[in-house]
Amino acid sequence: MALFANHNSVYVALHIPLIHYLFSFFDFTSPVAGIGASAGSASGLIPSYDVLYYTGVRAYFSEEWEKAAELLEKSMTTREALFRTRRQCHEECLPAGHDRLPKLDTENGNVWDLWAVDWVQRRAECVRFCLGRAVTPAGQLPVSADIEYEFSTRNPYNFLQVVYWNLGKVQKAASAAHTFFVANPSHLEMRNNIEKYRRMEGVTEDAFQDREMETEKHWVLYDSALTSEASSDWTHAMEKWRECVNETLRQTDECRAQCEVASQRLPENRGEDGMGGVFEKAAALSLSLLSCQQACVTQVATRPGRISAQEDLLPTQLEHLHSAQFKAGDLGGAVRSLRSLLLFYPSDKDSLSNLELYTETLGGDTEAHGTKPSQEIARYVSRSLQEKKLLYFGMENLNFNFTDPDLWTPEEVVPELLRDTWRAEKEVLNEKMKGGEKEVEMDDSGFYAGGPVPQVGVTISMDDNSLNGTNRVMLDGVLDQKECDTVLRLATTAASAGDGYRERRSPHTPHEKFEGLTVLRAVKLAQDGMVNQSDAKLLHEMGERVRTLLHSYFRSPSGLHFSDTHLVCRSAITGDQEGRLDLSHPVHVDNCLLEPETRQCWREPPAFTHRDLSAVLYLNDDFDGGELFFTDRDAKTVTARVKPTCGRLVGFSSGPVNPHGVTAVTAGRRCALALWFTKEKHHRDMEREEAEALWAADGQSVTKRGEVKEEGREGTASPARSGRSQSSRSRGRGRVTGGKDEL
């Protein structure tokens, strides 16, 4: 058979372990008819859920609320039905072709290859027939990456929340809002909506249940086990950790089954030296399947609302289970869990030491001595190692790309030529896993603290060293007491006419009343005679003063433009402070989404990614609490605190080196001017320019002390937009966003 000529290396790649995974790919290598089948056909088969979703989104933007609700809900139930059907077909077709397995051990050469293909084909035909009974041809096709992203970020619930609100179905709207928020905990607008729903009549606590909980059950068990550990309830902790391990294995198997049965695209022809033949493409498809199944480790280990996976999830659970069993007195179970853990890390000194201790403690208990690792864990490790060997073989010989999701992979699995790169990557991951070791923080903002302060009477009270950070400064004397009193009076008067947050009680905590005022709002109130023109102008001029100071001190390499200016007052609600444990503003980073568990910060919506420099100018100190504090990236370790007082300015770069929050205001009223700056002119605050235009229209000038001009080309400004390219991915993530974020 000439088909096999000059392809010896590929033939080796298709040895027995790999051939077990081929069957799912021969299923969909030919063109599929009926791509245009209607999603609403009367065939009774499962239609394409992406078509339903697209149609539902179109109905949403057409404000056809009933139709949008029906289609969006149907897209989610159809997707669930498709996944269930795939799983059922996977189970049903496992025995297919088993009568050919003995042939693979006895036949040689081309005949062996034909038996292998026969076995693969039998299973493929079984899967094709099974899916064909329940799913339309269009429903069997893979969906786009954008659709996968929409569902993985739960964006259908983002749409549904608005749809049900417009339909007056507040219970369902609250449920959709909560389910979306679980996977998008930094979405400020949705958090505000949920607070609103909780105060509405007709909305019960049942609305605030995660509709996607079934697919995240292992995390519920994980948190429950940790809670039991914290209260030293070791028996309950042991039970929950055992359930958690089993559920994690089940979720992983579920994910792997979807990889096997879902339709796959053939790899592109890579030319003469590429994988152009049948067996080469079969190898590429098979490696893609293995890579998908290995990636299930990462998928299952990623919490809702998190971007990064929790490293070593299964070994970590086994470690907790072993500890709980030991403390609950189940030594036999502890030995089994410890031996299971050693399958991942066979040379771990602590585990080996514990095993030796158990040997001494158990004495003559021969049954306990003979305890073996969990069969499920042993199968998991053995299967994973076989897959890794094949994938690394593909990397070395077939130019295949693979990212190993595990820290525990033994070095001998990796080919010698790849080990240097593999060791370097593993070392980076290990460094991230080390607890208590502070990472060296690098600030790529382009700012460099330590420049001059160009205002008489302003002093540097704290710098990077005294604030224990990078690009942080505290300046005193920026305002005098008379100016503070003037702006406080403005805040009191303007708040009575309406605040800058649409009369919300608080965007961050229900225990405080929030009042805000923008420069544009102040100008309009002044034109209506509600406040003094001079007071409104002082609010504007304060921002210019701050910009001049920080541009000089942080030695900004380019012009600084206002991104947002907001006068903010937070008042403690009398009688609502007892036993309070929350913050006035939780720890966050201004231009990225902080993920404390992994110490990562992701520059994507709904974060204000275009912000470069942040500042807060305080107006008073006659209140309790309300301190600004900086933390490490773990959002727990406080590195510096700042107590507000009149004329005190705190400035810092807006990136991940400066996580910060505000302690609870437990008595009185805290007022400050919050400001953000950007180096990108097209992200400048258009409202501020509108305010200046209103003054100019009235024939009044606006004093700008030490205006900072942009270096570089001038041009027509485009409207303010998100800092991330408006691709379909970012549109899905940040479709219902808040307008501001306060310091």
Side-chain angles (χ1 to χ4, degrees), residues 341-598:
L341 181 59
L342 282 165
L343 293 176
F344 293 96
Y345 292 103
S347 59
D348 181 67
K349 293 180 180 179
D350 290 337
S351 297
L352 291 171
S353 177
N354 285 333
L355 190 59
E356 185 178 348
L357 176 64
Y358 290 140
T359 302
E360 296 173 358
T361 304
L362 293 168
D365 189 343
T366 55
E367 183 177 344
H369 279 302
T371 301
K372 295 183 178 181
S374 161
Q375 290 184 1
E376 290 79 7
I377 298 297
R379 275 197 298 269
Y380 176 96
V381 172
S382 175
R383 177 185 64 195
S384 185
L385 288 176
Q386 290 183 44
E387 292 172 354
K388 290 176 191 293
K389 289 177 182 177
L390 291 165
L391 285 162
Y392 279 116
F393 179 91
M395 289 180 68
E396 185 181 30
N397 296 280
L398 304 175
N399 197 29
F400 186 80
N401 294 321
F402 166 62
T403 301
D404 196 329
D406 295 308
L407 288 174
W408 58 268
T409 302
E411 186 170 303
E412 57 268 21
V413 171
V414 184
E416 188 65 38
L417 292 176
L418 302 176
R419 284 185 187 175
D420 288 342
T421 303
W422 176 82
R423 289 188 193 110
E425 293 174 351
K426 188 173 182 180
E427 185 61 31
V428 171
L429 288 173
N430 279 326
E431 286 299 318
K432 290 182 179 180
M433 292 285 289
K434 288 180 181 177
E437 186 172 320
K438 182 175 175 61
E439 295 181 7
V440 177
E441 294 285 5
M442 301 296 293
D443 189 355
D444 61 357
S445 64
F447 298 116
Y448 182 60
V453 177
Q455 183 176 328
V456 176
V458 175
T459 59
I460 301 173
S461 302
M462 300 181 79
D463 58 11
D464 280 355
N465 290 332
S466 48
L467 285 169
N468 298 315
T470 303
N471 280 332
R472 301 174 183 176
V473 69
M474 185 176 85
L475 304 175
D476 280 322
V478 178
L479 300 176
D480 58 30
Q481 190 60 55
K482 181 179 179 181
E483 289 173 319
C484 287
D485 291 342
T486 298
V487 181
L488 286 170
R489 182 177 66 246
L490 174 66
T492 300
T493 305
S496 66
D499 62 50
Y501 253 82
R502 301 188 294 279
E503 299 181 356
R504 289 184 186 144
R505 186 181 187 185
S506 170
H508 302 302
T509 172
H511 304 288
E512 298 173 15
K513 180 183 178 182
F514 183 96
E515 298 164 315
L517 178 67
T518 64
V519 173
L520 178 60
R521 177 68 174 160
V523 171
K524 290 181 177 179
L525 290 173
Q527 289 182 329
D528 293 339
M530 303 289 289
V531 300
N532 293 329
Q533 284 279 4
S534 59
D535 293 353
K537 285 187 177 182
L538 176 59
L539 180 64
H540 177 274
E541 193 273 330
M542 284 163 49
E544 299 293 339
R545 196 181 304 181
V546 170
R547 178 169 66 163
T548 300
L549 288 168
L550 296 186
H551 182 274
S552 176
Y553 181 79
F554 286 113
R555 295 183 265 209
S556 176
S558 60
L560 275 183
H561 305 279
F562 287 93
S563 171
D564 190 32
T565 307
H566 204 202
L567 177 58
V568 180
C569 292
R570 307 164 186 269
S571 304
I573 297 174
T574 305
D576 196 20
Q577 303 300 314
E578 185 176 353
R580 183 176 173 188
L581 299 174
D582 68 333
L583 297 171
S584 181
H585 194 152
V587 176
H588 63 286
V589 175
D590 286 340
N591 69 11
C592 56
L593 303 177
L594 180 63
E595 189 175 83
E597 292 83 356
T598 62

Side-chain angles (χ1 to χ4, degrees), residues 9 70 111 188 275 319 355 431 445 463 547 649 657:
S9 61
E70 179 184 358
V111 178
L188 299 179
M275 296 186 177
E319 193 170 3
L355 190 59
E431 286 299 318
S445 64
D463 58 11
R547 178 169 66 163
L649 171 67
V657 297

